[in-house]
Amino acid sequence: MTTQLLLIDALNLIRRIYAVDSNQSHHSEEHMIKTSCARVAHACKKLLSQCNATHAIAVFDGDKSWRYHYYAAYKSTRSPMPDTLKNNLARFKHAIEETGIVVFSPENDEADDIIATLAYKAASNNVSSTIVSTDKGFLPFLSAHIAIFDYFKKHYIEHQDIKQRFNVPQHRLVDFWALAGDKTNDIPGVKGIGNKSAEQLINDYESIEAAMMDDALNATLKRKLTADMDKLIISRNLVMLRTDINLGFSLKQLRLN
């Protein structure tokens, strides 16, 4: 049987399912948690079947990743996890484990970096994987061996989806986000450069460095880039997922029984 690795961004899946169930105010908190856990387990079973998975892991976030130390404002304005969900995460983890999927909770690393590392290492060994997440940070990894699936839209992301959404080539997404910033994660970008200006720079030049060296570049854009080069570098490092995390386990340990 061909090896197929399923990589689930656990909190991305759980929080969206929980958000729907928590709005059913006529139910008790206990009933709501039980329902959410059951729906998460059902989603995992469907994903295992749909992806023909032979190996699978659901990855949670660690407490504080390197990004919080690297840039103090990272995710500083993001709403905290609801207490009810936070206090019941162990039940969600158990519900996932009951489906046969390995659950991994790193001490400090973010799930995105763990998943990116797993997908990258698998692809390097010609092993195909499917990342289940709505997080745009995984989009640069879409390739022949790495698929990305949006469980809630029941849709595999295609290259044309990326082009339509961002209007820049897939391999330039990191530069695009570094220029324009990302308010949802409090990534600053270059002050005064929004999506339109970022699109223009990405599509007109092979690199940001090439744009800076062009005497014909709009003087205002060049001034903004020059003035905020430090934030550009910080933003690029923040949006780029790592593929070199020391995992401490092997693919064999993720095999489904």
Side-chain angles (χ1 to χ4, degrees), residues 2-232:
T2 303
T3 301
Q4 294 286 339
L5 175 60
L6 175 64
L7 303 168
I8 300 175
D9 184 354
L11 282 178
N12 182 269
L13 181 70
I14 291 169
R15 291 188 77 153
R16 285 172 173 264
I17 289 176
Y18 172 84
V20 174
D21 290 337
S22 64
N23 286 328
Q24 309 299 317
S25 56
H26 57 281
H27 292 313
S28 68
E29 182 177 294
E30 175 63 20
H31 182 278
M32 183 264 293
I33 290 296
K34 281 186 176 180
T35 300
S36 293
C37 285
R39 289 185 61 204
V40 168
H42 177 68
C44 289
K45 290 175 183 176
K46 287 179 67 177
L47 288 165
L48 287 171
S49 176
Q50 178 176 321
C51 299
N52 295 314
T54 59
H55 300 68
I57 185 171
V59 186
F60 285 77
D61 286 322
D63 288 333
K64 289 286 183 181
S65 78
W66 62 272
R67 289 181 180 85
Y68 293 90
H69 303 285
Y70 177 69
Y71 183 63
Y74 179 63
K75 292 186 178 180
S76 60
T77 63
R78 177 175 285 196
S79 299
M81 184 185 300
D83 286 339
T84 301
L85 176 57
K86 185 176 182 179
N87 294 335
N88 285 282
L89 279 182
R91 294 173 68 176
F92 283 94
K93 292 178 181 180
H94 179 70
I96 295 173
E97 288 175 330
E98 286 287 290
T99 69
I101 296 173
V102 171
V103 167
F104 182 59
S105 300
E107 285 188 26
N108 302 115
D109 293 304
E110 288 184 67
D112 292 4
D113 288 324
I114 299 292
I115 291 171
T117 296
L118 281 162
Y120 176 79
K121 288 186 175 182
S124 299
N125 289 283
N126 296 317
V127 173
S128 295
S129 62
T130 299
I131 297 172
V132 179
S133 180
T134 61
D135 193 322
K136 65 178 182 290
F138 293 116
L139 297 179
F141 291 89
L142 180 63
S143 63
H145 282 299
I146 302 175
I148 302 172
F149 184 68
D150 184 332
Y151 174 78
F152 301 96
K153 292 182 179 179
K154 311 301 181 193
H155 175 67
Y156 280 96
I157 306 301
E158 303 289 349
H159 291 284
Q160 60 263 28
D161 297 323
I162 297 173
K163 182 66 175 177
Q164 288 173 3
R165 181 177 174 185
F166 297 102
N167 199 33
V168 297
Q170 180 196 3
H171 71 281
R172 300 295 306 283
L173 283 172
V174 168
D175 279 346
F176 174 71
W177 296 327
L179 285 164
D182 181 0
K183 290 182 179 179
T184 61
N185 292 316
D186 296 294
I187 293 172
V190 175
K191 186 176 181 180
I193 291 185
N195 288 345
K196 290 296 182 183
S197 296
E199 283 177 23
Q200 178 187 335
L201 285 165
I202 296 298
N203 290 316
D204 288 352
Y205 296 95
E206 292 185 358
S207 67
I208 297 172
E209 290 74 20
M212 293 286 290
M213 293 173 64
D214 184 8
D215 293 335
L217 177 66
N218 178 279
T220 300
L221 278 177
K222 181 171 285 191
R223 185 170 64 251
K224 289 176 179 177
L225 287 169
T226 302
D228 238 3
M229 186 55 64
D230 57 335
K231 288 292 178 61
L232 174 65

Side-chain angles (χ1 to χ4, degrees), residues 232-248:
L232 174 65
I233 294 170
I234 288 171
S235 298
R236 181 186 271 166
N237 289 332
L238 289 171
V239 300
M240 187 184 302
L241 298 186
R242 290 182 59 182
T243 58
D244 60 351
I245 300 294
N246 183 19
L247 299 171

